[in-house]
Amino acid sequence: MPYTPDKPVSPPSADELRARIPGWGADLDPADRPSFPKERFDPGATGAHWTEPERQGDDPRRERSIEHAHLTAVYGTAQPLHGVSGAIRRYAYARYSEGRAAHWLLLVLGDRVEATGAHVRSLFTTRPDNPITETGILAEPRLRPIASRRGRVDLRHAWIDPILVAGPWILGGWVALRMVRRVFVRRS
């Protein structure tokens, strides 16, 4: 148990794991790996001539975990943070460590804010989002919905998938309907 004065429990040995879990450690011997003998350490063959790539330079706008002294040597700039969702994500990185649940919950919140904004923006385009087709519910009868899922791990939560996908749309529609109704009731 980390961060406690108790002596940590020793991890089980490879023999104990092999006895307990069928197939555990099947690839421990490099000769049993499918990539063998191609798997080898040969930096000259890759063209890498550095121990750490040349740094791209710190961009103060780029989010960085507070656990790290600087950004990674190379990072993407194609999708900069923006808007309210970007502010939420920046706050998560600036305030909370990656070991805190608040960090990840804020990132999820930022993602949901971004997704909601994208859905709202799509309403003002010539091709708005179509929640009916995006749920995949129209494809269900044609693509053998039960038979195609037999033996799959995700079969257990398949019943809740339409609710998770369509639920926010239904809730958003209900809230919008209530707001419109309230506006018209006040005017009359």
Side-chain angles (χ1 to χ4, degrees):
M1 186 64 91
Y3 310 116
T4 62
D6 301 330
K7 182 180 178 190
V9 178
S10 300
S13 69
D15 291 332
E16 290 171 335
L17 288 172
R18 190 173 292 115
R20 192 175 68 200
I21 305 169
W24 187 92
D27 60 348
L28 281 182
D29 184 2
D32 292 337
R33 296 179 187 167
S35 61
F36 187 81
K38 291 180 182 176
E39 187 180 270
R40 60 190 161 93
F41 181 72
D42 186 8
T46 64
H49 55 278
W50 58 79
T51 54
E52 182 178 332
E54 183 179 337
R55 298 197 56 76
Q56 188 172 345
D58 282 347
D59 185 345
R61 297 170 299 171
R62 197 69 222 183
E63 65 277 9
R64 175 181 56 82
S65 173
I66 58 176
E67 284 99 0
H68 301 285
H70 48 76
L71 288 170
T72 56
V74 179
Y75 52 88
T77 58
Q79 304 294 330
L81 299 180
H82 62 278
V84 176
S85 65
I88 293 170
R89 290 175 177 144
R90 278 191 200 94
Y91 181 74
Y93 277 102
R95 178 74 174 88
Y96 296 104
S97 120
E98 292 178 0
R100 301 273 310 271
H103 174 85
W104 299 105
L105 290 173
L106 283 170
L107 291 181
V108 169
L109 175 66
D111 179 68
R112 293 297 85 204
V113 167
E114 176 73 27
T116 302
H119 291 309
V120 170
R121 281 193 306 273
S122 81
L123 296 175
F124 299 102
T125 65
T126 56
R127 298 193 64 173
D129 292 344
N130 185 345
I132 303 296
T133 57
E134 290 173 3
T135 60
I137 201 158
L138 296 179
E140 284 291 321
R142 291 178 292 161
L143 301 176
R144 302 181 307 132
I146 304 297
S148 67
R149 289 191 170 91
R150 195 168 294 134
R152 288 178 24 186
V153 176
D154 62 343
L155 183 61
R156 279 184 262 163
H157 66 76
W159 65 272
I160 200 170
D161 290 346
I163 296 170
L164 291 177
V165 174
W169 286 100
I170 294 170
L171 181 64
W174 180 75
V175 169
L177 185 65
R178 298 271 306 185
M179 290 173 66
V180 168
R181 206 168 159 193
R182 183 171 288 181
V183 168
F184 282 112
V185 167
R186 282 187 183 170
R187 286 186 179 176
S188 60

